[in-house]
Amino acid sequence: MPLVSMRQLLDEAAKGGYGVGAFNVNNMEQIQAIMDAARETQSPVIIQASRGARAYSQDKFLYHLMLAAAELYPEIPLVMHLDHGNSFETCKSAIDLGFTSVMMDGSLLEDGKTPSTFEQNVEVTRRVVEIAHAKGVTVEGEIGVLGGIEDGHGAGGSGLDHVTDPDQAVEFVEKTGVDALAIAIGTSHGAYKFTSKPDGSVLKMDVLIAIHKRLPHVHLVMHGSSSVPKHLQDVINQYGGKLKPTWGVPVEEIQLGIRNGVRKINVDTDNRLAITGAIRKVFAETPEKFDPRDYMKPAREAMKKVVAERMTQFGQAGHAGDYAPIPIAEMKQRYAAEAVAAK
Ligand code: G3H
Ligand code: 13P
Ligand code: ZN
């Protein structure tokens, strides 16, 4: 199966009432872990690469690994998505390389730190939609800003500083024509999201529900959605790590989101924790080992377990065979004919 459009995947998810995990990758083992989990659970899947991932891997390597994944797992609908594109040029280079979906995160300026104005965000996102749709490529925009800065991306502060305003969300979608909309509801990237199990005072599910009521047909995206489970923290700390106690986004809150229009759920940190725990365990228990396969294999297996669990929890499991992929060239024609519903 060729790489498919994220718009098609999310439209299908909306029809089926489920969410689709979008998992970040930087290397071959992470892609293999996701594809194995997708095969085991029969899930359609979104694999995403950040700017950091593209730089780390030289993105052509990643692109060809994705083509290998599509060839080796032909039964799995697979999207290659750019995570947090910071400028028109970044998105354009991803589209030129062959990504089938891009995020233009115009909620921040190009530095990935300073919040932009609403007008700046609309302008850059609208320009990306124009060139992306002309090639059949999907666009995710963002309105509101996530908290934290742990991974070098974000405005800093608590996740509550720039929660999405539902009125602005409506205007943003109308003015840009995005296919999917990331919103800020109090989450942040990385492991340190909340200092205790989050309640409605820090995780604004009420705002998400209000946005969904105003935009019932728009595919919503939750960023910073790792659950940071204690058992993954414990493995790291048991084998010499030094994570401070922390809480992520409980899976049941994500499931509430899915019942209210969330179709894409971004997860990176949980996989980083699983990989690191598995590697630390090998190093601690068998310090005489030095063949990278001795620790990369259990790391890949640990990530696969987390991804398969999320695929089941988000509801995408069992849906890989529901539909035939629409070629990107056909998506291009549909956008041109305005046959893809304006959101
Ligand atoms: O946006 C956050 C993702 O976890 C990617 O992180 O920018 O360190 O690759 P990164
Ligand atoms: P986490 O850090 O919670 O995994 O979020 C990842 C993300 O939002 C990537 O865009
Ligand atoms: Zn994100």
Side-chain angles (χ1 to χ4, degrees):
M1 191 181 290
L3 295 173
V4 306
S5 138
M6 188 167 85
R7 178 61 190 264
Q8 185 191 13
L9 227 81
L10 300 186
D11 283 350
E12 290 290 339
K15 272 190 232 161
Y18 58 89
V20 182
F23 304 101
N24 289 75
V25 297
N26 299 272
N27 61 30
M28 178 183 76
E29 284 79 3
Q30 290 178 304
I31 295 176
Q32 291 172 327
I34 296 166
M35 296 313 294
D36 281 347
R39 175 164 282 168
E40 188 177 284
T41 61
Q42 279 304 296
S43 298
V45 68
I46 301 164
I47 294 188
Q48 58 188 11
S50 66
R51 273 188 302 140
R54 290 176 70 189
Y56 171 81
S57 62
Q58 294 184 42
D59 54 11
K60 220 176 221 330
F61 277 114
L62 271 191
Y63 178 63
H64 285 277
L65 286 168
M66 293 293 294
L67 294 184
E71 190 180 320
L72 292 170
Y73 299 76
E75 77 281 20
I76 304 296
L78 169 60
V79 173
M80 183 175 187
H81 175 75
L82 169 70
D83 191 25
H84 293 285
N86 65 325
S87 67
F88 177 84
E89 288 70 26
T90 302
C91 292
K92 183 172 184 315
S93 69
I95 294 167
D96 290 346
L97 179 59
F99 281 68
T100 56
S101 178
V102 295
M103 176 186 192
M104 176 61 236
D105 182 358
S107 71
L108 298 169
L109 296 182
E110 212 168 315
D111 64 4
K113 292 176 177 35
T114 315
S116 61
T117 65
F118 178 75
E119 290 71 25
Q120 286 169 321
N121 190 357
V122 166
E123 176 57 16
V124 69
T125 307
R126 197 192 51 70
R127 287 176 61 217
V128 171
V129 168
E130 214 171 278
I131 59 155
H133 286 184
K135 294 200 164 170
V137 170
T138 311
V139 180
E140 172 186 341
E142 174 161 331
I143 182 84
V145 183
L146 264 68
I149 199 157
E150 192 185 316
D151 60 1
H153 189 100
S158 103
L160 297 177
D161 292 345
H162 303 276
V163 169
T164 305
D165 168 24
D167 289 337
Q168 273 202 344
V170 174
E171 197 182 335
F172 183 78
V173 170
E174 277 167 5
K175 290 192 160 152
T176 58
V178 289
D179 300 282
L181 182 69
I183 55 172
I185 53 167
T187 68
S188 48
H189 292 127
Y192 299 101
K193 301 182 196 302
F194 304 111
T195 52
S196 60
K197 189 173 177 195
D199 59 18
S201 66
V202 288
L203 181 59
K204 303 305 241 175
M205 298 306 292
D206 54 336
V207 173
L208 185 151
I209 291 166
I211 295 169
H212 177 55
K213 284 212 172 99
R214 304 281 306 274
L215 293 168
H217 303 298
V218 169
H219 305 313
L220 301 180
V221 182
M222 277 176 75
H223 281 247
S225 291
S226 277
S227 301
V228 197
K230 183 160 181 315
H231 69 92
L232 294 181
Q233 300 177 41
D234 287 347
V235 177
I236 291 180
N237 287 339
Q238 182 185 347
Y239 294 106
K242 282 198 166 53
L243 293 177
K244 292 171 277 182
T246 179
W247 276 260
V249 183
V251 167
E252 57 276 17
E253 299 291 356
I254 297 171
Q255 290 168 333
L256 171 65
I258 293 169
R259 292 195 294 279
N260 287 280
V262 171
R263 298 293 158 233
K264 173 172 182 274
I265 304 106
N266 283 17
V267 174
D268 186 0
T269 296
D270 284 352
N271 292 324
R272 293 178 173 189
L273 294 172
I275 288 170
T276 300
I279 291 176
R280 278 191 174 280
K281 185 168 189 285
V282 173
F283 284 175
E285 288 181 346
T286 48
E288 71 282 6
K289 290 198 163 164
F290 58 88
D291 179 341
R293 288 171 297 191
D294 288 333
Y295 50 87
M296 292 308 292
K297 240 173 126 172
R300 183 171 61 191
E301 193 52 36
M303 173 163 166
K304 176 194 161 189
K305 217 171 141 209
V306 172
V307 173
E309 193 181 10
R310 295 290 174 272
M311 286 171 162
T312 304
Q313 291 163 330
F314 298 163
Q316 73 207 80
H319 289 287
D322 288 0
Y323 48 93
I326 302 170
I328 292 293
E330 162 76 20
M331 285 304 291
K332 170 181 158 173
Q333 283 170 6
R334 290 190 186 198
Y335 282 120
E338 296 188 348
V340 180
K343 293 285 181 183

